[in-house]
Amino acid sequence: METTLRGVGVSHGVAIGEVRHMGTAVLEPPAKQIPAEEAKREQGRARQAVDAVAADLMARGNLAGGEAQAVLEAQAMMAQDPELMADVERRIAVGSTAERAVYDAFAAYRELLANAGEYLAGRVADLDDVRNRIVARLLGVPMPGVPDSDEPYVLVARDLAPADTALLDPTLVLGFVTEEGGPTSHSAILARALGVPAVVALPGAGELAEGTVIAVDGSTGEIFVDPTEDKKAQLEASAAERKAALSASTGPGATADGHKVPLLANVGGPADVPAAVEAGAEGVGLFRTEFLFLDDSKKAPSEEKQVAAYRQVLEAFPEGRVVVRVLDAGADKPLDFLTPADEPNPALGVRGLRTLLDHPDVLRTQLSALAKAAEGLPVHLEVMAPMVADRADAKAFADACRAAGLRAKFGAMVEIPSAALRARSILQEVEFLSLGTNDLAQYTFAADRQVGAVSRLQDPWQPALLDLVALSAEAAKAEGRSCGVCGEAAADPLLACVLTGLGVTSLSMGSASIPYVRATLAKYTLAQCERAAAAARATDSAEDAREAARAVLSGE
């Protein structure tokens, strides 16, 4: 009998297939003592296993490229954390086996992260995956991961580590469903990049029996268990209709009545550029520069290395707009040479622009590299600062840009509620705003973007979040400035219409989402988008906001 479950849809498309569960996590190693003379040998085994896992994660990142590469390189750094390794060796010195020492050291670090709140608690799943890989290697058992199958299937897991998600084979993995995670988790972002339908935060996902046929609607978040033939046909027809609409929709983003809404791509580095160009991106709305800094957490990359990487991206969009976010370090992206190790709550401490203002040489080098990379190119370069809190922050960033001789527009990201509330003040110092809806939701609702239990508060349809978007867009319009959205909210075609109705002037998203958003925007007039936005803001929950907007746009 067909039943319907509902999670959070995070990657468009429909997948119908049999359930296959993620491999079982590594069992806890036995707690046995070793003689003192074996300690050095066990410490060597531990170091070899750690290095091998780190190398494997780096290799997976190189294969995956793009955003996945930055995520996996960060995991490799986590595996080789010197403090963790020192704790492992200390435990072996007092009698633990290598595998037990790794298990216990990671457990202690895990507890610290879980209690740290915000960003760091969100790294627990990544830490668990690193621990499992090291312990599996030491025990000589298969790595936990995606099941072996000759037939296509729908992957079901409690959560998916980036190392698994990054290398999913879309010809075998039709879609995936997880019990944990949220719309802005690593797995969700990478699923969209792969174009794999996905639903996260589905209560009881692990109870779906192996081999059960399910239909996954990554747009609505619905899971149909044992779907009828009629339901399968209906879902497949809807998917075919969407595919046809995508093929027919080309050119710049615009509403049905010709109101232009530039559709831009979020990129993590040069590896993401081909997909953005193929999707018809009109430029880059968010160029994350962190990937360059993850190669070596001990020091910043040279100016020459930065110039070369930036120029690769800028050259791909002649006459286009490229918006670069300067380094956003701190919180879940710690760098040894920049971020303090003893902050009680890094997400609320020295992060983003605050970090750069504390290290003006790093900011100056990056701005100088951007200036040199843009020399002689017709590209429209714009540079923005992350985590701007007020006008003083905006002024400090604009002053630094001018001092570096940067000929570009200077902007501020709106990720902190204070920036949305005082947007007109901030726009006295900078020339544009860009809304990072992922962090804006996180700080508005005190809801970690990686924790499935609070995913409803990370839903970008939350009316309070829409209110902050509207405030920012209205301020920008009053000042004659632009206000884009570069958070994952822009990847939702229906929400893209609402954001347009709120006054947002451009939308930036993962490349795979651009065709969906372009096709949907082209179906509605600006007036319809404005009515849908007003209807969504008049509700009191994300679900009601979504339904209200859908009702307006469908003419109900």
PDB file of all heavy atoms in Angstrom, residues 464-495:
ATOM      1  N   ALA A 464      10.071  35.083   8.558  1.00  0.00           N
ATOM      2  CA  ALA A 464      10.981  36.059   9.172  1.00  0.00           C
ATOM      3  C   ALA A 464      12.200  36.293   8.288  1.00  0.00           C
ATOM      4  O   ALA A 464      12.694  37.424   8.177  1.00  0.00           O
ATOM      5  CB  ALA A 464      11.423  35.578  10.556  1.00  0.00           C
ATOM      6  N   LEU A 465      12.690  35.239   7.636  1.00  0.00           N
ATOM      7  CA  LEU A 465      13.825  35.386   6.737  1.00  0.00           C
ATOM      8  C   LEU A 465      13.414  36.197   5.505  1.00  0.00           C
ATOM      9  O   LEU A 465      14.166  37.059   5.032  1.00  0.00           O
ATOM     10  CB  LEU A 465      14.363  34.015   6.330  1.00  0.00           C
ATOM     11  CG  LEU A 465      15.690  34.029   5.567  1.00  0.00           C
ATOM     12  CD1 LEU A 465      16.816  34.529   6.449  1.00  0.00           C
ATOM     13  CD2 LEU A 465      16.023  32.645   5.037  1.00  0.00           C
ATOM     14  N   LEU A 466      12.224  35.924   4.984  1.00  0.00           N
ATOM     15  CA  LEU A 466      11.721  36.694   3.840  1.00  0.00           C
ATOM     16  C   LEU A 466      11.591  38.178   4.204  1.00  0.00           C
ATOM     17  O   LEU A 466      11.854  39.057   3.370  1.00  0.00           O
ATOM     18  CB  LEU A 466      10.372  36.143   3.381  1.00  0.00           C
ATOM     19  CG  LEU A 466      10.360  34.683   2.895  1.00  0.00           C
ATOM     20  CD1 LEU A 466       8.954  34.293   2.442  1.00  0.00           C
ATOM     21  CD2 LEU A 466      11.355  34.478   1.761  1.00  0.00           C
ATOM     22  N   ASP A 467      11.206  38.456   5.444  1.00  0.00           N
ATOM     23  CA  ASP A 467      11.113  39.855   5.892  1.00  0.00           C
ATOM     24  C   ASP A 467      12.482  40.543   5.825  1.00  0.00           C
ATOM     25  O   ASP A 467      12.593  41.705   5.409  1.00  0.00           O
ATOM     26  CB  ASP A 467      10.593  39.927   7.334  1.00  0.00           C
ATOM     27  CG  ASP A 467       9.110  39.587   7.438  1.00  0.00           C
ATOM     28  OD1 ASP A 467       8.414  39.602   6.410  1.00  0.00           O
ATOM     29  OD2 ASP A 467       8.652  39.309   8.565  1.00  0.00           O
ATOM     30  N   LEU A 468      13.536  39.826   6.244  1.00  0.00           N
ATOM     31  CA  LEU A 468      14.886  40.403   6.223  1.00  0.00           C
ATOM     32  C   LEU A 468      15.376  40.606   4.792  1.00  0.00           C
ATOM     33  O   LEU A 468      16.060  41.588   4.480  1.00  0.00           O
ATOM     34  CB  LEU A 468      15.854  39.510   6.994  1.00  0.00           C
ATOM     35  CG  LEU A 468      15.635  39.446   8.508  1.00  0.00           C
ATOM     36  CD1 LEU A 468      16.570  38.423   9.152  1.00  0.00           C
ATOM     37  CD2 LEU A 468      15.852  40.814   9.149  1.00  0.00           C
ATOM     38  N   VAL A 469      15.009  39.671   3.901  1.00  0.00           N
ATOM     39  CA  VAL A 469      15.354  39.838   2.483  1.00  0.00           C
ATOM     40  C   VAL A 469      14.659  41.083   1.937  1.00  0.00           C
ATOM     41  O   VAL A 469      15.275  41.909   1.239  1.00  0.00           O
ATOM     42  CB  VAL A 469      14.944  38.596   1.664  1.00  0.00           C
ATOM     43  CG1 VAL A 469      15.145  38.851   0.166  1.00  0.00           C
ATOM     44  CG2 VAL A 469      15.746  37.371   2.102  1.00  0.00           C
ATOM     45  N   ALA A 470      13.380  41.240   2.270  1.00  0.00           N
ATOM     46  CA  ALA A 470      12.608  42.393   1.787  1.00  0.00           C
ATOM     47  C   ALA A 470      13.204  43.707   2.296  1.00  0.00           C
ATOM     48  O   ALA A 470      13.323  44.683   1.542  1.00  0.00           O
ATOM     49  CB  ALA A 470      11.155  42.263   2.218  1.00  0.00           C
ATOM     50  N   LEU A 471      13.594  43.729   3.559  1.00  0.00           N
ATOM     51  CA  LEU A 471      14.205  44.937   4.130  1.00  0.00           C
ATOM     52  C   LEU A 471      15.469  45.326   3.359  1.00  0.00           C
ATOM     53  O   LEU A 471      15.690  46.499   3.040  1.00  0.00           O
ATOM     54  CB  LEU A 471      14.576  44.698   5.597  1.00  0.00           C
ATOM     55  CG  LEU A 471      13.506  44.919   6.658  1.00  0.00           C
ATOM     56  CD1 LEU A 471      14.055  44.505   8.020  1.00  0.00           C
ATOM     57  CD2 LEU A 471      13.080  46.382   6.690  1.00  0.00           C
ATOM     58  N   SER A 472      16.289  44.339   3.067  1.00  0.00           N
ATOM     59  CA  SER A 472      17.547  44.599   2.357  1.00  0.00           C
ATOM     60  C   SER A 472      17.282  45.092   0.939  1.00  0.00           C
ATOM     61  O   SER A 472      17.904  46.050   0.468  1.00  0.00           O
ATOM     62  CB  SER A 472      18.401  43.327   2.316  1.00  0.00           C
ATOM     63  OG  SER A 472      18.658  42.848   3.623  1.00  0.00           O
ATOM     64  N   ALA A 473      16.352  44.418   0.246  1.00  0.00           N
ATOM     65  CA  ALA A 473      16.046  44.789  -1.138  1.00  0.00           C
ATOM     66  C   ALA A 473      15.437  46.188  -1.214  1.00  0.00           C
ATOM     67  O   ALA A 473      15.755  46.974  -2.115  1.00  0.00           O
ATOM     68  CB  ALA A 473      15.112  43.758  -1.758  1.00  0.00           C
ATOM     69  N   GLU A 474      14.565  46.508  -0.253  1.00  0.00           N
ATOM     70  CA  GLU A 474      13.943  47.839  -0.231  1.00  0.00           C
ATOM     71  C   GLU A 474      14.984  48.925   0.021  1.00  0.00           C
ATOM     72  O   GLU A 474      14.953  49.996  -0.582  1.00  0.00           O
ATOM     73  CB  GLU A 474      12.858  47.882   0.844  1.00  0.00           C
ATOM     74  CG  GLU A 474      11.612  47.071   0.478  1.00  0.00           C
ATOM     75  CD  GLU A 474      10.731  46.762   1.687  1.00  0.00           C
ATOM     76  OE1 GLU A 474      11.031  47.274   2.801  1.00  0.00           O
ATOM     77  OE2 GLU A 474       9.760  46.000   1.540  1.00  0.00           O
ATOM     78  N   ALA A 475      15.934  48.637   0.909  1.00  0.00           N
ATOM     79  CA  ALA A 475      17.001  49.599   1.202  1.00  0.00           C
ATOM     80  C   ALA A 475      17.859  49.830  -0.035  1.00  0.00           C
ATOM     81  O   ALA A 475      18.219  50.971  -0.363  1.00  0.00           O
ATOM     82  CB  ALA A 475      17.860  49.091   2.355  1.00  0.00           C
ATOM     83  N   ALA A 476      18.196  48.756  -0.734  1.00  0.00           N
ATOM     84  CA  ALA A 476      19.019  48.878  -1.933  1.00  0.00           C
ATOM     85  C   ALA A 476      18.291  49.684  -3.007  1.00  0.00           C
ATOM     86  O   ALA A 476      18.894  50.548  -3.664  1.00  0.00           O
ATOM     87  CB  ALA A 476      19.379  47.487  -2.461  1.00  0.00           C
ATOM     88  N   LYS A 477      17.010  49.429  -3.181  1.00  0.00           N
ATOM     89  CA  LYS A 477      16.233  50.173  -4.180  1.00  0.00           C
ATOM     90  C   LYS A 477      16.199  51.660  -3.836  1.00  0.00           C
ATOM     91  O   LYS A 477      16.371  52.529  -4.707  1.00  0.00           O
ATOM     92  CB  LYS A 477      14.815  49.609  -4.257  1.00  0.00           C
ATOM     93  CG  LYS A 477      13.956  50.269  -5.338  1.00  0.00           C
ATOM     94  CD  LYS A 477      12.578  49.634  -5.420  1.00  0.00           C
ATOM     95  CE  LYS A 477      11.746  50.287  -6.514  1.00  0.00           C
ATOM     96  NZ  LYS A 477      10.390  49.673  -6.615  1.00  0.00           N
ATOM     97  N   ALA A 478      16.019  51.972  -2.552  1.00  0.00           N
ATOM     98  CA  ALA A 478      15.964  53.370  -2.116  1.00  0.00           C
ATOM     99  C   ALA A 478      17.291  54.083  -2.367  1.00  0.00           C
ATOM    100  O   ALA A 478      17.316  55.291  -2.624  1.00  0.00           O
ATOM    101  CB  ALA A 478      15.605  53.436  -0.636  1.00  0.00           C
ATOM    102  N   GLU A 479      18.387  53.333  -2.311  1.00  0.00           N
ATOM    103  CA  GLU A 479      19.712  53.923  -2.514  1.00  0.00           C
ATOM    104  C   GLU A 479      20.201  53.786  -3.951  1.00  0.00           C
ATOM    105  O   GLU A 479      21.333  54.168  -4.263  1.00  0.00           O
ATOM    106  CB  GLU A 479      20.727  53.261  -1.565  1.00  0.00           C
ATOM    107  CG  GLU A 479      20.457  53.508  -0.083  1.00  0.00           C
ATOM    108  CD  GLU A 479      20.628  54.975   0.302  1.00  0.00           C
ATOM    109  OE1 GLU A 479      21.439  55.670  -0.355  1.00  0.00           O
ATOM    110  OE2 GLU A 479      19.947  55.431   1.244  1.00  0.00           O
ATOM    111  N   GLY A 480      19.375  53.190  -4.809  1.00  0.00           N
ATOM    112  CA  GLY A 480      19.779  53.008  -6.201  1.00  0.00           C
ATOM    113  C   GLY A 480      20.879  51.992  -6.375  1.00  0.00           C
ATOM    114  O   GLY A 480      21.716  52.092  -7.280  1.00  0.00           O
ATOM    115  N   ARG A 481      20.890  50.979  -5.497  1.00  0.00           N
ATOM    116  CA  ARG A 481      21.935  49.951  -5.530  1.00  0.00           C
ATOM    117  C   ARG A 481      21.324  48.587  -5.869  1.00  0.00           C
ATOM    118  O   ARG A 481      20.109  48.403  -5.829  1.00  0.00           O
ATOM    119  CB  ARG A 481      22.646  49.850  -4.177  1.00  0.00           C
ATOM    120  CG  ARG A 481      23.202  51.149  -3.644  1.00  0.00           C
ATOM    121  CD  ARG A 481      24.313  51.703  -4.506  1.00  0.00           C
ATOM    122  NE  ARG A 481      25.083  52.731  -3.817  1.00  0.00           N
ATOM    123  CZ  ARG A 481      26.057  53.440  -4.384  1.00  0.00           C
ATOM    124  NH1 ARG A 481      26.364  53.233  -5.657  1.00  0.00           N
ATOM    125  NH2 ARG A 481      26.720  54.358  -3.696  1.00  0.00           N
ATOM    126  N   SER A 482      22.186  47.613  -6.160  1.00  0.00           N
ATOM    127  CA  SER A 482      21.707  46.258  -6.442  1.00  0.00           C
ATOM    128  C   SER A 482      21.734  45.421  -5.173  1.00  0.00           C
ATOM    129  O   SER A 482      22.496  45.691  -4.238  1.00  0.00           O
ATOM    130  CB  SER A 482      22.565  45.594  -7.523  1.00  0.00           C
ATOM    131  OG  SER A 482      23.897  45.436  -7.070  1.00  0.00           O
ATOM    132  N   CYS A 483      20.886  44.392  -5.155  1.00  0.00           N
ATOM    133  CA  CYS A 483      20.804  43.489  -3.996  1.00  0.00           C
ATOM    134  C   CYS A 483      20.531  42.088  -4.518  1.00  0.00           C
ATOM    135  O   CYS A 483      19.410  41.783  -4.931  1.00  0.00           O
ATOM    136  CB  CYS A 483      19.694  43.938  -3.043  1.00  0.00           C
ATOM    137  SG  CYS A 483      19.454  42.838  -1.627  1.00  0.00           S
ATOM    138  N   GLY A 484      21.552  41.249  -4.528  1.00  0.00           N
ATOM    139  CA  GLY A 484      21.396  39.881  -5.014  1.00  0.00           C
ATOM    140  C   GLY A 484      21.252  38.884  -3.885  1.00  0.00           C
ATOM    141  O   GLY A 484      21.422  39.220  -2.713  1.00  0.00           O
ATOM    142  N   VAL A 485      20.928  37.650  -4.262  1.00  0.00           N
ATOM    143  CA  VAL A 485      20.922  36.535  -3.311  1.00  0.00           C
ATOM    144  C   VAL A 485      21.906  35.508  -3.828  1.00  0.00           C
ATOM    145  O   VAL A 485      21.848  35.103  -4.996  1.00  0.00           O
ATOM    146  CB  VAL A 485      19.520  35.902  -3.184  1.00  0.00           C
ATOM    147  CG1 VAL A 485      19.591  34.562  -2.457  1.00  0.00           C
ATOM    148  CG2 VAL A 485      18.582  36.830  -2.424  1.00  0.00           C
ATOM    149  N   CYS A 486      22.853  35.096  -2.975  1.00  0.00           N
ATOM    150  CA  CYS A 486      23.825  34.086  -3.397  1.00  0.00           C
ATOM    151  C   CYS A 486      23.766  32.849  -2.511  1.00  0.00           C
ATOM    152  O   CYS A 486      24.587  31.943  -2.636  1.00  0.00           O
ATOM    153  CB  CYS A 486      25.241  34.658  -3.406  1.00  0.00           C
ATOM    154  SG  CYS A 486      25.846  35.172  -1.786  1.00  0.00           S
ATOM    155  N   GLY A 487      22.799  32.790  -1.604  1.00  0.00           N
ATOM    156  CA  GLY A 487      22.635  31.599  -0.777  1.00  0.00           C
ATOM    157  C   GLY A 487      21.879  30.534  -1.542  1.00  0.00           C
ATOM    158  O   GLY A 487      21.354  30.772  -2.637  1.00  0.00           O
ATOM    159  N   GLU A 488      21.797  29.334  -0.963  1.00  0.00           N
ATOM    160  CA  GLU A 488      21.150  28.231  -1.647  1.00  0.00           C
ATOM    161  C   GLU A 488      19.651  28.467  -1.881  1.00  0.00           C
ATOM    162  O   GLU A 488      19.025  27.759  -2.650  1.00  0.00           O
ATOM    163  CB  GLU A 488      21.366  26.936  -0.856  1.00  0.00           C
ATOM    164  CG  GLU A 488      22.809  26.451  -0.879  1.00  0.00           C
ATOM    165  CD  GLU A 488      23.300  26.110  -2.284  1.00  0.00           C
ATOM    166  OE1 GLU A 488      22.567  25.453  -3.025  1.00  0.00           O
ATOM    167  OE2 GLU A 488      24.412  26.521  -2.627  1.00  0.00           O
ATOM    168  N   ALA A 489      19.073  29.471  -1.237  1.00  0.00           N
ATOM    169  CA  ALA A 489      17.653  29.782  -1.453  1.00  0.00           C
ATOM    170  C   ALA A 489      17.371  30.069  -2.916  1.00  0.00           C
ATOM    171  O   ALA A 489      16.292  29.767  -3.435  1.00  0.00           O
ATOM    172  CB  ALA A 489      17.251  30.983  -0.603  1.00  0.00           C
ATOM    173  N   ALA A 490      18.336  30.659  -3.614  1.00  0.00           N
ATOM    174  CA  ALA A 490      18.132  31.029  -5.012  1.00  0.00           C
ATOM    175  C   ALA A 490      17.965  29.816  -5.910  1.00  0.00           C
ATOM    176  O   ALA A 490      17.468  29.933  -7.039  1.00  0.00           O
ATOM    177  CB  ALA A 490      19.305  31.877  -5.493  1.00  0.00           C
ATOM    178  N   ALA A 491      18.371  28.629  -5.440  1.00  0.00           N
ATOM    179  CA  ALA A 491      18.300  27.422  -6.257  1.00  0.00           C
ATOM    180  C   ALA A 491      16.896  26.818  -6.302  1.00  0.00           C
ATOM    181  O   ALA A 491      16.639  25.915  -7.101  1.00  0.00           O
ATOM    182  CB  ALA A 491      19.288  26.380  -5.721  1.00  0.00           C
ATOM    183  N   ASP A 492      15.990  27.290  -5.469  1.00  0.00           N
ATOM    184  CA  ASP A 492      14.602  26.809  -5.444  1.00  0.00           C
ATOM    185  C   ASP A 492      13.811  27.636  -6.459  1.00  0.00           C
ATOM    186  O   ASP A 492      13.618  28.832  -6.274  1.00  0.00           O
ATOM    187  CB  ASP A 492      14.040  26.989  -4.034  1.00  0.00           C
ATOM    188  CG  ASP A 492      12.582  26.565  -3.910  1.00  0.00           C
ATOM    189  OD1 ASP A 492      11.866  26.524  -4.931  1.00  0.00           O
ATOM    190  OD2 ASP A 492      12.145  26.296  -2.776  1.00  0.00           O
ATOM    191  N   PRO A 493      13.344  27.040  -7.566  1.00  0.00           N
ATOM    192  CA  PRO A 493      12.681  27.819  -8.618  1.00  0.00           C
ATOM    193  C   PRO A 493      11.476  28.620  -8.127  1.00  0.00           C
ATOM    194  O   PRO A 493      11.296  29.783  -8.523  1.00  0.00           O
ATOM    195  CB  PRO A 493      12.255  26.756  -9.630  1.00  0.00           C
ATOM    196  CG  PRO A 493      13.220  25.632  -9.421  1.00  0.00           C
ATOM    197  CD  PRO A 493      13.480  25.623  -7.943  1.00  0.00           C
ATOM    198  N   LEU A 494      10.654  28.027  -7.266  1.00  0.00           N
ATOM    199  CA  LEU A 494       9.486  28.740  -6.759  1.00  0.00           C
ATOM    200  C   LEU A 494       9.919  29.899  -5.864  1.00  0.00           C
ATOM    201  O   LEU A 494       9.402  31.016  -5.970  1.00  0.00           O
ATOM    202  CB  LEU A 494       8.584  27.775  -5.978  1.00  0.00           C
ATOM    203  CG  LEU A 494       7.271  28.356  -5.439  1.00  0.00           C
ATOM    204  CD1 LEU A 494       6.375  28.825  -6.577  1.00  0.00           C
ATOM    205  CD2 LEU A 494       6.543  27.312  -4.589  1.00  0.00           C
ATOM    206  N   LEU A 495      10.906  29.641  -5.006  1.00  0.00           N
ATOM    207  CA  LEU A 495      11.398  30.688  -4.122  1.00  0.00           C
ATOM    208  C   LEU A 495      12.111  31.783  -4.927  1.00  0.00           C
ATOM    209  O   LEU A 495      12.072  32.957  -4.545  1.00  0.00           O
ATOM    210  CB  LEU A 495      12.333  30.097  -3.070  1.00  0.00           C
ATOM    211  CG  LEU A 495      12.858  31.039  -1.993  1.00  0.00           C
ATOM    212  CD1 LEU A 495      11.742  31.824  -1.317  1.00  0.00           C
ATOM    213  CD2 LEU A 495      13.662  30.263  -0.945  1.00  0.00           C
TER     214      LEU A 495
END
